[in-house]
Amino acid sequence: MSKFIIKGGIPLKGNVVISGAKNAAVAIIPAALMSGEPCTIENVPNIRDVHTLIDIITNMGAKIVWLDEHTIEIDPTELRCPMVPYESSKQLRASYYLLGAMIGRFGRATVSMPGGCEIGNRPIDQHLKGFRALGVDICTGNGVINAQASALTGGTIYFDTVSVGATINVMLASVRAQGATVLENAAKEPHVVDVANFLNSLGADIVGAGTDIIRVKGVQKLTGHSYFIMPDQIEAGTFMLCSMVTGGDIEVSNVTPKHLRAITDKLKNMGASITESDDAVRVRMQGELRCTNIKTMPYPGFPTDMQPQIVAALCLAKGTSIVTEGVWENRFKYANELIRLGANLQVNDRTVVVENIPQFKGAPVTATDLRAGAALMIAALAAKDTTELEQIHHIERGYEDIITKLQKLGANISKTHCEGTLTGPIELRGAV
Ligand code: EPZ
């Protein structure tokens, strides 16, 4: 398997352009299948999850054309509604959005139950609760979800727990239901708003996205349109931390500063100097990192998808920090790998106590999931010596062209391929 070779200790400087948001793209692409006409989606992140999803919908009969590296045209007119196989839903949890899209388009869907993953068992009971409130009959068995609605009718759903996936999925199904739907205790994440904005551009009638009450009036049909996906606030936050742990000076551009408010606030607590412009934030770090306490929460709280990354940075902060995971039940699996790099962490259920260490020391480590891999990468960039980071396919699921972006900032990072050759800085060639 390929791995990253990172020789850290270099202050990262310069500009990085943030890609389209992964968690918006993996919902907007299925949403486009509900249109009766072709749609053009711009600012699509060129990441593994998007390619996996495009393979799935191509097999369902959608026609996809890449108009350029970040723009796709989706023609759903020949779409069929076959079962989404377990292999696909295992590779990409977000394939569950095909449930909502196919129910919205055809009134029926068959999708394999998505599995759990490294951060928790990830139930979908709230998704199914919402579909049933719209008159959909759901039956599950042999690892498959069968959904069938004789008539898709609007309803009111109160989500027992704030769920991004359930909010988006039920919103998808409700767009073409007869009558009005109200989603209460809805998720408020920016990508929920992005999906709603996309659907409204196709002719849907959704108001309230971004608040905890979303109202949908069913419409007869959706037309084609073009749409520009929002920037990825988690990728932005990850690069902001790369600047801080290396004592760097990075301008992170193509961002929406408002979406970064909780992240920016915490990084300033930790001693970063952050200046904002309309679509960029500049992050400089002089002096020592300071400790802070964090509890991850649904938006607008501090995002859970930044938790592993900020724990890596807090290892270098003076003092003791306490980080509590408020969303997932098991999101500290990366801790042992960070400890291999010298971290001093005590995990207890949903809380980690982070003691200061003078520096990370390079070692061979393994990414256990997407954001865990990002955390190990941050630690490796701070370490003064060389780290080998394996299972990097996790990182490439959600970070577009991460090597090139880091190399442009001055990082000494390269990727070994299966055959052992390197792409990256000359001085590292031959490292195995
Ligand atoms: C989305 O996952 C993101 N994934 C996750 O990002 C992110 O961590 C999460 O939202 C929270 O922001 C995508 O958007 C593809 P949830 P999702 O439903 O929708 C419980 C990343 O790193 N729950 O908001 O699956 C659940 O167990 C990934 O990019 C139920 O109990 O998350 C969790 O405790 C990781 N029943 C909480 O709600 C349900 O039916 C939030 O989950 C659904 C969820």
Side-chain angles (χ1 to χ4, degrees):
M1 292 293 275
S2 300
K3 57 188 171 186
F4 287 161
I5 311 281
I6 301 170
K7 189 172 181 321
I10 302 167
L12 300 186
K13 296 182 189 293
N15 172 269
V16 62
V17 179
I18 297 302
S19 301
K22 166 181 85 79
N23 291 346
V26 297
I28 285 173
I29 291 169
L33 302 179
M34 296 171 63
S35 162
E37 301 163 1
C39 295
T40 301
I41 316 287
E42 299 169 75
N43 202 35
V44 176
N46 211 338
I47 55 176
R48 194 187 293 266
D49 272 8
V50 163
H51 289 282
T52 302
L53 185 55
I54 285 175
D55 289 347
I56 295 170
I57 66 173
T58 302
N59 290 335
M60 294 167 68
K63 300 271 185 300
I64 313 288
V65 176
W66 284 89
L67 302 179
D68 65 38
E69 194 192 356
H70 296 112
T71 306
I72 56 174
E73 183 185 78
I74 301 177
D75 180 353
T77 45
E78 309 280 313
L79 191 70
R80 302 176 308 281
C81 183
M83 171 181 161
V84 178
Y86 181 55
E87 270 318 301
S88 307
S89 63
K90 197 169 65 170
Q91 279 180 59
L92 180 71
R93 272 190 56 81
S95 54
Y96 55 40
Y97 288 134
L98 291 166
L99 266 173
M102 292 302 97
I103 290 170
R105 167 91 186 252
F106 297 110
R108 59 188 172 83
T110 305
V111 177
S112 293
M113 290 286 278
C117 70
E118 291 300 328
I119 61 178
N121 66 20
R122 303 190 77 171
I124 59 166
D125 58 300
Q126 298 301 303
H127 300 237
L128 304 185
K129 173 182 179 182
F131 295 144
R132 289 190 175 104
L134 301 180
V136 181
D137 294 324
I138 301 278
C139 66
T140 57
N142 305 323
V144 174
I145 303 166
N146 281 300
Q148 176 80 45
S150 46
L152 203 56
T153 48
T156 295
I157 299 104
Y158 176 83
F159 292 115
D160 306 341
T161 180
V162 175
S163 161
V164 169
T167 299
I168 292 175
N169 225 351
V170 180
M171 184 166 70
L172 289 175
S174 70
V175 157
R176 302 223 358 229
Q178 287 153 14
T181 294
V182 181
L183 306 179
E184 297 182 346
N185 199 24
K188 298 182 273 193
E189 270 68 6
H191 37 291
V192 172
V193 179
D194 218 28
V195 176
N197 289 343
F198 170 65
L199 289 166
N200 282 340
S201 76
L202 305 185
D205 183 349
I206 303 170
V207 294
T211 75
D212 60 353
I213 296 182
I214 298 175
R215 299 177 192 281
V216 184
K217 282 194 191 126
V219 295
Q220 285 297 316
K221 76 184 186 72
L222 297 175
T223 57
H225 208 274
S226 64
Y227 192 75
F228 191 95
I229 290 179
M230 61 172 267
D232 192 316
Q233 75 264 30
I234 305 302
E235 183 193 12
T238 303
F239 276 103
M240 292 165 80
L241 284 170
C242 289
S243 180
M244 290 174 67
V245 301
T246 61
D249 180 354
I250 296 179
E251 183 186 61
V252 181
S253 52
N254 185 32
V255 297
T256 305
K258 184 164 71 80
H259 294 162
L260 297 170
R261 195 63 71 234
I263 296 170
T264 304
D265 179 62
K266 277 301 169 190
L267 301 191
K268 285 180 176 173
N269 266 183
M270 293 168 64
S273 160
I274 299 178
T275 45
E276 291 181 6
S277 59
D278 288 350
D279 63 352
V281 289
R282 182 179 175 189
V283 183
R284 278 166 289 175
M285 190 70 213
Q286 289 113 2
E288 289 183 325
L289 285 165
R290 295 194 294 263
C291 62
T292 188
N293 296 332
I294 296 169
K295 178 171 184 179
T296 68
M297 300 292 286
Y299 193 81
F302 188 88
T304 175
D305 294 344
M306 281 292 298
Q307 182 258 93
Q309 299 94 303
I310 203 159
V311 166
L314 286 168
C315 292
L316 300 172
K318 279 279 166 274
T320 301
S321 301
I322 297 175
V323 177
T324 302
E325 174 52 53
V327 175
W328 297 106
E329 69 266 24
N330 184 13
R331 197 169 200 170
F332 292 117
K333 282 197 173 171
Y334 62 89
N336 287 333
E337 292 301 306
L338 263 187
I339 289 167
R340 285 175 55 78
L341 295 173
N344 181 347
L345 304 175
Q346 284 294 326
V347 175
N348 180 6
D349 193 22
R350 287 195 173 202
T351 295
V352 62
V353 177
V354 187
E355 300 291 357
N356 169 250
I357 58 170
Q359 62 180 14
F360 284 111
K361 291 222 174 303
V365 286
T366 302
T368 50
D369 68 71
L370 167 58
R371 307 304 176 184
L376 294 169
M377 193 179 66
I378 287 169
L381 289 166
K384 296 277 185 290
D385 44 12
T386 302
T387 295
E388 293 190 3
L389 174 50
E390 302 202 341
Q391 301 294 321
I392 54 169
H393 61 280
H394 290 296
I395 300 174
E396 291 172 329
R397 277 189 45 218
Y399 288 93
E400 176 180 330
D401 211 3
I402 187 75
I403 280 213
T404 306
K405 289 185 178 182
L406 286 171
Q407 285 171 346
K408 283 182 178 165
L409 293 169
N412 194 333
I413 179 171
S414 59
K415 175 178 175 180
T416 63
H417 295 283
C418 300
E419 62 283 3
T421 55
L422 286 175
T423 56
I426 296 295
E427 63 274 19
L428 270 174
R429 284 201 192 291
V432 286

